[in-house]
Amino acid sequence: MQHLSHDRLVAVGFDGTTGSAAEAEHLAGCADCRVAVEEIAAVAGLSGTSGTPPELADPPPAVWAAVDEQVRADRRPTRRRVGGWLAAAAVIGALAGAGATAVVLSDPAAQEPQTVAAATLAAPAGPGPQSGSAELVTVAGRRFLRVDTQGLAPTTGYFEVWLLDASGRMYALGALSPGSRAELAVPDGVVIDEFNVVDISAQAHNGDPRHSSVSVLRGTLND
């Protein structure tokens, strides 16, 4: 299956559901599309418009200028990542009221992140070349997990970030971005006091969204 269209990425990012089994399977195995959906979901959450996506409209010139500035600031953007930002920009341009656009794009200082908890990540099987860290931060009432890793072995698959509890229950937050970093939205219903273990697994591109049982990094979030 080809990558999801921008319209479908926006729809999934807003309501959290996929339209078909083929879309769900593609999202399970495509890190690029999942990252785009997560970015759009974060924008929707910050703007208070989660649920049914608004009718898309052409954004005003100021929004396009902000998008252009963001893209130019990244000297090595990929086509897919730029496409995701443009899709998010189209959503922002359609939001009711200019205030949401001003907060999200024009006033980054108003979205200053606050660190809630942090974890040092290490190989569960013992000392190895890989290491990392994770921070739980809040931005305008929304929670995000910032993950930074080093020394992960090359893989033909991808690395997935999870939150686990003591009994083994888990939430999949999303895939690591290129460069072994990620900033992933944490669902509102997740109780961090229970799901306080950050786990990074090595996953295969096989369409199976479940944990592979191969953990490469793990650590516990502490205040």
Side-chain angles (χ1 to χ4, degrees):
M1 180 179 175
Q2 295 181 342
H3 287 303
L4 272 64
S5 68
H6 288 161
D7 287 347
R8 288 303 305 149
L9 290 172
V10 169
V12 176
F14 266 81
D15 62 27
T17 60
T18 52
S20 66
E23 280 189 355
E25 181 177 356
H26 179 78
L27 281 171
C30 179
D32 285 340
C33 282
R34 281 205 310 278
V35 168
V37 167
E38 289 158 5
E39 289 174 345
I40 293 169
V43 170
L46 289 173
S47 62
T49 55
S50 298
T52 303
E55 182 179 352
L56 299 184
D58 289 334
V63 174
W64 283 123
V67 172
D68 182 65
E69 181 179 352
Q70 174 66 41
V71 172
R72 290 177 184 275
D74 185 350
R75 297 183 179 180
R76 291 180 298 176
T78 64
R79 287 187 62 191
R80 194 66 188 166
R81 295 290 288 172
V82 172
W85 276 109
L86 294 179
V91 174
I92 295 169
L95 297 178
T101 300
V103 168
V104 175
L105 287 179
S106 301
D107 189 9
Q111 306 297 323
E112 188 69 25
Q114 302 293 322
T115 299
V116 177
T120 298
L121 307 180
Q130 67 268 42
S131 61
S133 62
E135 278 189 307
L136 181 68
V137 301
T138 59
V139 182
R142 293 277 293 174
R143 298 180 300 172
F144 297 88
L145 188 70
R146 290 179 170 176
V147 179
D148 190 356
T149 66
Q150 302 83 38
L152 292 179
T155 177
T156 56
Y158 63 98
F159 297 106
E160 185 84 5
V161 181
W162 307 76
L163 287 177
L164 282 61
D165 73 355
S167 67
R169 294 182 300 165
M170 60 187 70
Y171 283 95
L173 298 186
L176 288 178
S177 302
S180 300
R181 296 182 179 181
E183 183 168 312
L184 306 167
V186 177
D188 290 339
V190 177
V191 180
I192 295 299
D193 287 344
E194 297 178 13
F195 292 86
N196 61 345
V197 176
V198 178
D199 180 276
I200 298 178
S201 65
Q203 302 284 134
H205 288 297
N206 57 8
D208 188 346
R210 294 173 297 180
H211 195 291
S212 66
S213 298
V214 180
S215 295
V216 295
L217 286 172
R218 184 173 289 184
T220 301
L221 290 167
N222 294 298
D223 296 343

